Structure formats: C-alpha cells, structure tokens
C-alpha cells in the first residue's frame, strides 16, 4: 500500500516538474573553479604598477595623491555646499550689451515680446537643457548703454537690470519653465514635427517659488498692483523718471503677458501644430480642455 502511494506521488511530481534537457541542467557545486592567472615569465606580480614610489616610476601621480599628506577628500569628508550640485539649475548669462547687439543686428525684433524662444532662435545663445540650463540670466553688463524699449521675459535678473529695462519705458518679467517645457523650447521645429501636443507649464518648485511670486523681482505670479508700486520705488531709488506706459503707442505690446500655463505666444497648451499640413489641431474633449487649462 505504501509503495503504491509512493509511485503515485513520484508520477505526480514528474507530471508537474519540467523535462530534463541540456538547457536546465547545472554542474555540481564546486565542480567548476574560475581560472587563475599564471605567474608568467617574471613571477606574475607587479602588474598593478608595483610597490615602488609614485606608481612604479611613472611621470605623474595619481589623482588626489599629495605626496604622503592626508588627501583633501579625507581631511574634509563632508561639505554641505556641494550637496546636490549636479542637480542644481543653471542660468547661462546674457548681458544687456549682447541683447542690445541682437536688437541692433535684427537678430531679435524689439517690436514684439521677447521670451526664451526668441533668444534661443537667434542661434547665438548657448542653451543646453542636458547641462541643467533652465533659462536666461540677464546681467547688467552694458546697462548704461542699453537704449531699447522691450517687453522681455527672462528667468533671472538683478535689480540694476530691472531698472535699466524700465528706465527706457520697457517691461520685464521673470518666469519659470520646467524641464519638459525647456526641451520643447530648445528646438521648436523639431518638437512640432514629433506631433506631440504643446505641454502645459508647471508651477515653480519650492526652492524658487518665492522668487517668482515676488513683485520686487517682477515674478510672473506676483500681484500686478504690487508690481506697479515696486516700479515706482525702483525709479526713486535709481533716480530716473518712470515713463507712463499707459500713454505709450506700444502699450498693447508692452503689457502682453503669457498665461502661467502657456509656453508659446499665440499657442495654447494642448494644441498640436502640424508643420507639414500647416494646420493647428485643437482638443475637443472636455476632459482634455480641463486638464490643459487647470
């Protein structure tokens, strides 16, 4: 009776177990040993540059070696300043002098709003998203010679730069772009050929939210009434008469702004631009309209 049960159990195991073949057998444990390098003609050692000084008499020392002293990376093991440095956003500089040159040489049309797209399309601005570049840092070099009246949107600017732009009757705005939008801005023609819908711009991250909501830095999320008050304070601080934008013939251009979700002037998030058909496809579903406008 017991032998019969054992046979049935063995047969049931054979039915469930896989068949024995060359691709599922393995060697016995310890039957194979990894080959070792032989001693060679001269003993087989010293192949790692030996044990004599400076890497077996090379003409250079290894990186970090300080001729016997405790290396720098061991003396100072922790430096909080460099924590996450490879993830920090970078803003390649663009001076006011270069911006004036772009306008004078018709690289940029000052009669239209200037944003990151128009600056990148000049082909003269070094902008690489893969290097963590997040936009334009407008510097004050050539601020005294800057005479253009522009409506410019950049990502970072100091107080003298804001004063130089507003002194000529222009307006300036600091705006944030996330990395997904920056890849679309980097090469607009290439992005449109992919057939993807224009993404909606995300809100600033926590580390720069205060900057883009401040009226003193002309953040695009700041209160417009506070911006008007800060314009007056800055003109009194730097000693120039603030031009009246309301009476300017280019008033419509100077006050033109993007929506916080908008990426390109004249194009809404969710639209698909077909360069081959020269057509713009707009979403019709209500949930898509709600998604891209929220």
């Amino acid at each position: 009776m017991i032998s019969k049960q054992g046979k049935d159990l063995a047969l049931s195991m054979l039915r469930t177990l896989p068949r024995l073949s060359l691709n599922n057998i393995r060697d016995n444990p310890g039957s194979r040993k990894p080959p070792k390098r032989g001693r060679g003609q001269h003993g087989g050692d010293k192949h790692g540059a030996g044990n004599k000084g400076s890497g077996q008499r090379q003409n250079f020392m290894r990186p970090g070696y300080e001729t016997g002293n405790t290396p720098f990376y061991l003396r100072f093991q922790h430096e909080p300043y460099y924590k996450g440095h490879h993830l920090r956003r970078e803003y390649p500089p663009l001076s006011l002098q270069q911006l004036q040159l772009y306008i004078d040489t018709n690289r940029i049309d000052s009669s239209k709003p200037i944003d990151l797209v128009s600056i990148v399309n000049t082909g003269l601005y070094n902008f690489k998203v893969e290097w963590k570049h997040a936009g334009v840092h407008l510097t004050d070099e050539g601020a005294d010679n800057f005479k253009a009246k522009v409506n410019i949107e950049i990502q970072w600017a100091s107080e003298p730069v804001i004063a130089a732009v507003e002194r000529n009757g222009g307006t300036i705005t600091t705006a944030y772009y996330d990395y997904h939008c920056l890849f679309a801005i980097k090469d607009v023609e290439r992005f449109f050929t992919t057939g993807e819908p224009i993404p909606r711009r995300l809100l600033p991250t926590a580390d720069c939210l205060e900057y883009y909501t401040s009226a003193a830095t002309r953040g695009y999320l700041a209160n417009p009434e506070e911006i008007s008050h800060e314009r007056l304070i800055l003109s009194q601080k730097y000693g120039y008469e603030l031009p009246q934008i309301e009476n300017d013939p280019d008033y419509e251009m100077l006050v033109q702004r993007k929506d916080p979700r908008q990426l390109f002037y004249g194009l809404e998030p969710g639209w698909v631009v077909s360069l081959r058909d020269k057509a713009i496809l707009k979403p019709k579903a209500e949930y898509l309209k709600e998604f891209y406008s929220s």
Side-chain angles (χ1 to χ4, degrees):
M1 188 67 182
I2 298 176
S3 62
K4 186 177 180 180
Q5 292 179 354
K7 290 179 181 179
D8 294 340
L9 180 61
L11 290 174
S12 64
M13 291 179 61
L14 288 175
R15 292 190 188 98
T16 57
L17 292 175
R19 290 181 177 272
L20 183 65
S21 59
L22 292 177
N23 63 348
N24 61 8
I25 60 175
R26 67 178 65 178
D27 299 320
N28 294 327
S31 62
R32 286 180 176 268
K33 296 182 179 179
K36 295 182 179 180
R37 179 175 57 85
R39 292 181 59 84
Q41 182 179 2
H42 301 291
D45 56 353
K46 306 290 189 295
H47 287 267
N51 52 16
K52 294 291 183 180
S54 187
Q56 195 65 23
R57 302 294 187 270
Q58 297 183 22
N59 293 328
F60 54 88
M61 293 181 292
R62 62 176 176 82
Y65 183 64
E66 298 184 10
T67 63
N69 299 328
T70 304
F72 174 82
Y73 60 88
L74 292 180
R75 293 199 304 269
F76 306 96
Q77 299 181 7
H78 178 67
E79 179 56 57
Y81 176 80
Y82 296 104
K83 182 179 180 181
H85 67 91
H86 60 292
L87 301 174
R88 294 179 181 177
R89 292 182 298 273
E90 296 184 6
Y91 300 91
L94 175 70
S95 65
L96 288 172
Q97 182 178 356
Q98 291 174 312
L99 180 61
Q100 184 69 54
L101 180 62
Y102 295 168
I103 295 173
D104 294 341
T105 55
N106 295 326
R107 292 279 187 170
I108 293 179
D109 187 5
S110 61
S111 63
K112 298 179 181 179
I114 301 172
D115 60 346
L116 181 59
V117 179
S118 57
I119 294 175
V120 171
N121 288 341
T122 61
L124 303 175
Y125 181 69
N126 185 20
F127 182 73
K128 296 182 179 180
V129 185
E130 57 273 12
W131 289 5
K132 303 297 180 183
H133 290 176
V136 180
H137 176 200
L138 197 60
T139 63
D140 58 354
E141 182 182 359
D144 297 334
N145 299 325
F146 186 72
K147 303 300 180 182
K149 182 177 62 177
V150 294
N151 175 11
I152 186 169
E153 179 193 82
I154 43 90
Q155 282 61 60
W156 204 269
S158 60
E159 190 178 77
V161 172
I162 298 174
V165 173
E166 294 179 349
R167 182 183 59 210
N168 298 330
T171 57
I172 183 171
T173 308
T174 55
Y176 172 82
Y177 289 94
D178 58 279
Y179 281 115
H180 187 57
C181 295
L182 290 173
F183 274 107
I185 291 175
K186 176 185 175 182
D187 194 342
V188 180
E189 183 177 358
R190 181 180 178 183
F191 172 73
F192 287 159
T193 55
T194 60
E196 297 182 5
I198 299 174
R200 60 173 184 172
R201 189 169 22 154
L202 301 181
L203 293 177
T205 55
D207 59 339
C208 61
L209 181 61
E210 183 180 357
Y211 182 84
Y212 291 111
T213 55
S214 174
T217 57
R218 307 301 187 266
Y220 74 116
L221 299 177
N223 189 351
E225 296 180 358
E226 295 180 1
I227 292 179
S228 301
H229 181 64
E230 291 292 337
R231 283 169 54 90
L232 180 60
I233 293 177
L234 192 63
S235 64
Q236 294 174 353
K237 180 177 179 180
Y238 282 84
Y240 61 87
E241 185 178 354
L242 185 65
Q244 295 294 330
I245 301 180
E246 295 78 6
N247 302 328
D248 197 289
D250 299 328
Y251 174 75
E252 295 295 333
M253 184 273 294
L254 294 175
V255 298
Q256 190 173 354
R257 296 288 184 274
K258 292 181 183 177
D259 186 81
R261 296 293 190 184
Q262 193 175 2
L263 202 60
F264 305 105
Y265 281 107
L267 298 175
E268 299 293 335
W271 292 4
V272 178
V273 179
S274 176
L275 297 180
R276 184 181 63 180
D277 301 333
K278 296 182 179 180
I280 297 178
L281 307 178
K282 302 179 182 180
K284 295 183 179 180
E286 293 297 330
Y287 73 94
L288 290 177
K289 295 179 181 179
E290 183 180 356
F291 172 77
Y292 284 107
S293 63
S294 62

